Amino acid sequence: MSATAKKQAPNAEDIRARKGGTPLVSLTAYTTPMARLMDKHCDFVLVGDSVGMVLHGLTSTLGVTMEMMILHGQAVARGLERAMLVIDMPFGSYEEGPQQAFRNAARLMAETGCAAVKLEGGVEMAETIRFLVKRGIPVMAHIGLTPQSINTLGGYKVQGRDAQAEAVLADARAVAEAGAFSVVLEKVPQKLADKITAEVAIPTIGIGASAGCDGQILVVDDMLGFFTAFKPKFVKRYADLGPMAEAGIAEYAAEVRARSFPAAEHVFADQAPAAKAPSKG
Ligand code: KIV
């Protein structure tokens, strides 16, 4: 599939210009039908590497591959007309250095038509972000809790409490200065998130951060109640679709076993129904 920029969708500079304005709305998506449902409600849609845990049953995002991101990226691209498409760079696809990052980011853009990529890391990723942006690849940064680093962070902990605050602030300054057009703040204490939002010139996108951020993002399966393995504190359930889906499946199973499905209206007669006579006038 070749790159197909959506004419109506905002681009990275449109998103950057929303700093301090009406909060940016975003969700993750991994499939065409879900992308269609959120297209008119979101400013941007992220194909997050959370896809590995949410749809593929992985226990972390570390096993997610470029091929998975491209496949889901293409699916989501087919469902979007108005929202901007951003795709996560998976673990191992950019950390070696700017050249590796460029190669894989360019592949994501060329094969999915996404308008930007997201990568995790602050000060240590600034050089890579600068390299990508200078070569035509808009970058959304992601700091605070960076799930690809859970093994060095010691788990899914809040990042930036007490003495850690300066380091998270330094990360925010570094990615903004390197040219990122926005930055995700994940599991950053509220006051620190507000301070970063006030200080950096690019929009902050909160997830477990603060309502004062320039925008918010959630994993769609979390907020709709499809992903129930665990529920982080920062997730609000706006619907409970997992249990509803299971109830439907249980009813179907019972009806099949009772031979009450399929019913008369779901099966076909031996002969085709007579064609209707054409109406006059
Ligand atoms: O992978 C993901 O879904 C993310 C968002 C939750 C920010 O990175």
Side-chain angles (χ1 to χ4, degrees):
M1 189 206 229
S2 59
T4 50
K6 306 279 163 141
K7 286 194 191 78
Q8 302 172 46
N11 59 38
E13 290 314 303
D14 299 325
I15 298 292
R16 186 198 292 275
R18 296 277 299 273
K19 175 76 189 174
T22 306
L24 290 156
V25 177
S26 86
L27 286 169
T28 66
Y30 319 107
T31 64
T32 308
M34 197 61 92
R36 285 198 177 119
L37 289 177
M38 64 181 68
D39 186 37
K40 68 171 183 283
H41 302 286
C42 289
D43 297 296
F44 70 88
V45 168
L46 172 73
V47 181
D49 61 352
S50 50
V51 67
M53 298 175 75
V54 171
L55 288 197
H56 294 269
L58 300 178
T59 53
S60 77
T61 56
L62 300 182
V64 175
T65 63
M66 280 290 292
E67 284 64 34
M68 287 161 78
M69 297 312 297
I70 289 169
L71 193 68
H72 289 284
Q74 290 171 341
V76 170
R78 285 179 210 118
L80 298 183
E81 287 297 329
R82 301 159 56 134
M84 176 186 181
L85 174 60
V86 183
I87 301 190
D88 256 347
M89 300 201 68
F91 180 61
S93 71
Y94 60 98
E95 298 89 333
E96 277 174 34
Q99 274 85 2
Q100 184 211 22
F102 181 82
R103 219 171 25 254
N104 284 316
R107 190 174 162 212
L108 282 178
M109 292 183 83
E111 295 188 33
T112 67
C114 70
V117 299
K118 176 166 83 57
L119 56 80
E120 296 183 6
V123 171
E124 74 285 9
M125 280 300 145
E127 184 196 348
T128 295
I129 293 172
R130 189 171 291 109
F131 188 92
L132 296 183
V133 173
K134 281 212 156 32
R135 285 158 183 76
I137 299 184
V139 177
M140 177 177 287
H142 181 158
I143 64 170
L145 172 64
T146 47
Q148 293 175 8
S149 302
I150 43 158
N151 291 312
T152 45
L153 294 176
Y156 296 92
K157 295 176 183 161
V158 172
Q159 299 293 314
R161 282 190 170 135
D162 309 318
Q164 275 184 347
E166 270 310 310
V168 177
L169 190 55
D171 284 337
R173 288 182 185 132
V175 299
E177 199 266 320
F181 69 93
S182 59
V183 56
V184 170
L185 307 181
E186 180 165 354
K187 270 191 143 179
V188 170
Q190 187 179 15
K191 280 193 180 147
L192 178 59
D194 289 343
K195 185 171 175 181
I196 291 171
T197 302
E199 196 174 302
V200 298
I202 55 174
T204 55
I205 313 296
I207 174 163
S210 168
C213 287
D214 298 299
Q216 302 294 326
I217 187 163
L218 282 176
V219 170
V220 70
D221 291 64
D222 284 343
M223 55 88 76
L224 292 182
F226 274 124
F227 184 76
T228 52
F230 56 88
K231 188 184 98 54
K233 175 180 159 72
F234 58 76
V235 171
K236 177 172 174 185
R237 286 256 159 86
Y238 286 85
D240 214 6
L241 300 188
M244 275 178 72
E246 198 191 338
I249 292 164
E251 190 177 342
Y252 163 74
E255 289 190 1
V256 169
R257 292 190 178 109
R259 296 193 191 282
S260 59
F261 177 84
E265 67 268 31
H266 306 121
V267 295
F268 301 92
D270 289 340
Q271 270 130 34
K276 277 191 189 153
S279 61
K280 290 181 190 152

